Amino acid sequence: MRILVTGGAGFIGSHVLLALNNQGHTTSLIDDFNDFYAPSLKRWNAQNCGSILFEGDIRVKEDVERCFDLHQPEAVIHLAARAGVRPSLTQTQLYVDTNVTGTLNILEAMRSRHIKRLVFASSSSVYGCNKKVPFSESDPILKTISPYAATKVAGEHLCSVYSHLYGMSVVALRFFTVYGPRQRPDLAIHKFTRLINEGREISQFGDGTTRRDYTFIDDIVQGVLQSLSYTKDHSGLEVFNLGESRTVELRELISLIEDSLEIKAKIRKLPMQPGDVPLTYADITKSKELLGYNPQTPIEQGIQAFVSWFHEETKVISN
Ligand code: NAD
């Protein structure tokens, strides 16, 4: 099949593309290589995933149209977005333009070409300060507390509208903090590992008891591929959580990284950041039942895999 992955030069996208190529699909990617983090990392990902590159911006309708005309995808995995909660508080317009208008541009390009199958990257942040745990797909999502989360809610709603009006089959995946080799450098596991390794101080927001459901990249890739298969035989919008369904306290996470690096962290304690949620915790009953999703990598093993990759990467960069 011909599959387009938007944001394919990013962390999750590049892993998804490698897996799709291994399955024998013909893949292409659209990415604008913006400087949210080092574009050189994204360039490396794009050059090493074996896919056809279209350099363009999903906020620009003409770019999206040209990309679809050139690559003629039969299915789309839409991952391109401004990710991350904290910058969305100061760059709200950019987040809305990319995550909402950009998503609309993708849906419109699909509608006008009768492309029916879409997997959309949503986020656990849509649950906001949900009190009920674990979070399940049927929980109301009216408690979002960051602009980023609001753009993902809007994206899900646009997917719902287009699937309803134009007979598309859409899976929206609520990813729970994804980590692993090539993880975004702004995310805690990557940032902490780098700073601890350099003997520098890390900032711990809150008292260390905030809890997250961390999901290893291979498990996310498995869920994305299963979702793509799911769109073949279903119509309408279906929402799934992709997490490990286990929570880890921030201080426990730090000590796992310390153990893997064999270096003690210097910790600076700071107040909780606005927009950050105290807890994420995925109920994955539905994903297991309908997708056959079955995460395999416990955090202890995943952190070791991440730190091994980090050491290799550091060696390559310093040579
Ligand atoms: P990433 O930043 O590594 O990848 C996103 C890619 O999209 C980047 O390569 C970026 O250059 C590209 N992009 C951004 N704006 C664009 C634009 N206007 N036009 C074209 N390309 C553009 O992030 P990621 O961690 O791989 O996340 C992928 C998706 O998963 C995002 O939609 C994100 O919101 C979602 N998500 C990620 C996590 C996580 O923990 N990593 C959690 C929940 C949801």
Side-chain angles (χ1 to χ4, degrees):
M1 211 179 13
R2 285 187 309 279
I3 304 166
L4 171 68
V5 177
T6 75
F11 163 47
I12 298 174
S14 58
H15 282 275
V16 167
L17 281 166
L18 283 171
L20 289 170
N21 290 335
N22 279 339
Q23 288 189 337
H25 296 291
T26 302
T27 58
S28 53
L29 69 103
I30 176 170
D31 208 291
D32 72 345
F33 299 96
N34 65 65
D35 63 358
F36 177 58
Y37 61 86
S40 57
L41 296 177
K42 300 177 187 182
R43 297 259 172 219
W44 190 93
N45 288 343
Q47 277 156 15
N48 289 281
C49 65
S51 305
I52 308 159
L53 166 66
F54 182 92
E55 191 160 344
D57 186 336
I58 60 160
R59 292 172 297 172
V60 180
K61 204 172 165 56
E62 296 72 36
D63 281 7
V64 174
E65 295 289 323
R66 218 153 13 97
C67 172
F68 274 73
D69 284 341
L70 274 173
H71 300 301
Q72 310 218 339
E74 295 158 280
V76 178
I77 298 176
H78 176 35
L79 306 173
R82 286 286 168 158
V85 166
R86 287 175 201 155
S88 76
L89 273 67
T90 52
Q91 301 177 65
T92 306
Q93 187 66 54
L94 177 61
Y95 273 67
V96 171
D97 291 346
T98 310
N99 300 2
V100 184
T101 308
T103 298
L104 180 63
N105 288 339
I106 299 294
L107 286 165
E108 269 296 295
M110 290 181 66
R111 179 194 61 76
S112 59
R113 290 166 181 77
H114 310 286
I115 302 164
K116 301 286 186 199
R117 296 171 63 186
L118 172 67
V119 177
F120 168 67
S122 184
S123 160
S124 62
S125 64
V126 301
Y127 292 108
C129 288
N130 199 19
K131 290 276 176 286
K132 181 192 140 282
V133 286
F135 303 165
S136 71
E137 294 87 346
S138 56
D139 293 346
I141 48 169
L142 291 167
K143 302 252 184 220
T144 43
I145 58 164
S146 69
Y148 167 68
T151 64
K152 289 295 179 182
V153 173
E156 288 188 9
H157 282 288
L158 284 172
C159 288
S160 169
V161 170
Y162 274 68
S163 63
H164 175 78
L165 292 179
Y166 308 114
M168 290 182 189
S169 174
V170 186
V171 167
L173 293 173
R174 294 178 179 164
F175 298 150
F176 284 67
T177 317
V178 189
Y179 73 101
R182 304 202 298 281
Q183 190 196 30
R184 283 192 350 244
D186 61 300
L187 287 171
I189 291 175
H190 197 156
K191 203 162 50 183
F192 288 170
T193 304
R194 189 176 60 246
L195 292 172
I196 296 171
N197 189 55
E198 289 169 1
R200 288 162 62 195
E201 200 174 61
I202 60 169
S203 299
Q204 174 191 294
F205 297 106
D207 63 0
T209 61
T210 51
R211 286 186 289 148
R212 288 275 176 285
D213 193 336
Y214 293 98
T215 322
F216 193 65
I217 185 66
D218 294 359
D219 294 327
I220 290 290
V221 170
Q222 178 215 131
V224 171
L225 298 189
Q226 287 162 331
S227 301
L228 185 64
S229 304
Y230 185 88
T231 59
K232 188 162 177 268
D233 307 313
H234 297 83
S235 59
L237 169 76
E238 209 59 70
V239 179
F240 293 104
N241 287 337
L242 291 189
E244 298 289 314
S245 205
R246 172 183 163 191
T247 65
V248 180
E249 277 194 352
L250 182 56
R251 55 191 176 194
E252 192 186 339
L253 177 80
I254 294 170
S255 79
L256 284 171
I257 298 172
E258 288 177 328
D259 291 349
S260 283
L261 284 171
E262 298 178 10
I263 305 173
K264 196 93 193 107
K266 294 175 193 148
I267 302 172
R268 178 157 180 240
K269 294 190 179 156
L270 294 167
M272 279 283 283
Q273 294 282 289
D276 280 1
V277 295
L279 166 73
T280 64
Y281 184 5
D283 181 339
I284 54 172
T285 316
K286 182 179 170 189
S287 315
K288 281 185 159 173
E289 229 166 73
L290 299 186
L291 295 178
Y293 173 68
N294 184 17
Q296 298 288 314
T297 317
I299 186 87
E300 295 78 7
Q301 202 180 312
I303 291 290
Q304 293 234 346
F306 175 78
V307 169
S308 299
W309 167 82
F310 176 83
H311 283 316
E312 282 306 308
E313 184 70 1
T314 316
K315 251 189 266 163
V316 171
I317 290 168
S318 59
N319 279 335

